[in-house]
Amino acid sequence: MENGVIQVPEAYLRILQESDLLGFGQSCDRKTGFLLKGLAASKPGGSFLELGTGTGASASWIMDGMDEGSKLTTVDIDSTVQSIARKYLGNDSRITFCCEDGAAFINSLSEGFDFIFADTWPGKFELLDKTLDHLNIGGFYVIHDVFPQQKLPEGFRIKATKLLKTLQDRPDLDITELDWATGLVLAVKTAV
């Protein structure tokens, strides 16, 4: 914090500028970013997974909260948008980029994670159970765009409502719904 203003990650504004030039309008907003940064900071030496790199806006926030011993793996099927993330974040040895189908990536997982930010269909609307199998006890599972909004297609809104109910019904998760930004859910894994 500088002069009472919370600072955004150095790469974030440049990523947003290039995202606009590309016509990519699905970048992480600041409120979501502040949450991601704080959660990452709470897991020193943590292993983080982001499903849906996009142009790297949310990854910039996660990395801003990570310590030097933490690692982030970020996955996206679209090499064009992910190239912006690679440009601004790729020189940091704490991040690994995977350009592949999210479902294929999830199906090949063998390790566990302390934090999963699911920002794409695989890991959120598809393969949810398999994704949560790789969340460590005490780990965070974070999703956004879960509350009805006019900018989201109706089919997405219906799926988001069903997803929220599914998460609420799981006995191995403690759920916190955050009514801000685009509607966030923070789940903490409490049991295997």
Side-chain angles (χ1 to χ4, degrees):
M1 186 177 290
E2 189 173 295
N3 298 327
V5 177
I6 297 175
Q7 297 299 307
V8 300
E10 186 177 318
Y12 180 71
L13 295 176
R14 287 180 286 174
I15 288 170
L16 289 184
Q17 288 172 339
E18 280 211 40
S19 298
D20 286 344
L21 292 174
L22 188 63
F24 184 82
Q26 302 159 346
S27 293
C28 176
D29 65 272
R30 287 180 187 214
K31 286 184 177 183
T32 301
F34 289 133
L35 176 68
L36 295 175
K37 177 182 177 178
L39 293 174
S42 76
K43 299 286 184 186
S47 178
F48 305 96
L49 174 62
E50 177 186 38
L51 297 167
T53 311
T55 56
S58 52
S60 72
W61 286 101
I62 294 168
M63 293 179 70
D64 204 44
M66 289 169 36
D67 69 2
E68 289 304 315
S70 296
K71 299 288 182 194
L72 170 63
T73 301
T74 185
V75 182
D76 205 293
I77 196 169
D78 187 335
S79 62
T80 302
V81 295
Q82 195 183 63
S83 69
I84 294 172
R86 288 175 185 267
K87 177 179 177 179
Y88 291 106
L89 304 173
N91 289 332
D92 192 317
S93 63
R94 299 174 300 161
I95 191 169
T96 301
F97 293 95
C98 296
C99 188
E100 67 179 281
D101 176 71
F105 178 86
I106 292 166
N107 280 319
S108 70
L109 277 175
S110 58
E111 71 267 28
F113 296 92
D114 301 305
F115 176 115
I116 299 173
F117 179 49
D119 194 22
T120 190
W121 288 65
K124 187 174 183 178
F125 299 123
E126 302 166 7
L127 298 171
L128 176 65
D129 290 339
K130 180 110 174 115
T131 300
L132 292 173
D133 285 347
H134 293 279
L135 184 63
N136 295 332
I137 300 289
F140 300 123
Y141 173 78
V142 182
I143 56 175
H144 68 143
D145 297 334
V146 292
F147 296 153
Q149 305 169 54
Q150 292 303 352
K151 74 173 191 162
L152 298 173
E154 183 179 353
F156 187 99
R157 292 192 306 255
I158 291 168
K159 283 190 172 289
T161 301
K162 289 180 182 176
L163 173 61
L164 186 55
K165 176 76 171 119
T166 298
L167 291 170
Q168 290 167 337
D169 289 346
R170 287 185 63 114
D172 61 338
L173 297 176
D174 277 337
I175 305 295
T176 301
E177 298 171 37
L178 302 169
D179 188 12
W180 60 307
T182 59
L184 292 141
V185 170
L186 168 62
V188 179
K189 192 164 189 182
T190 58
V192 178

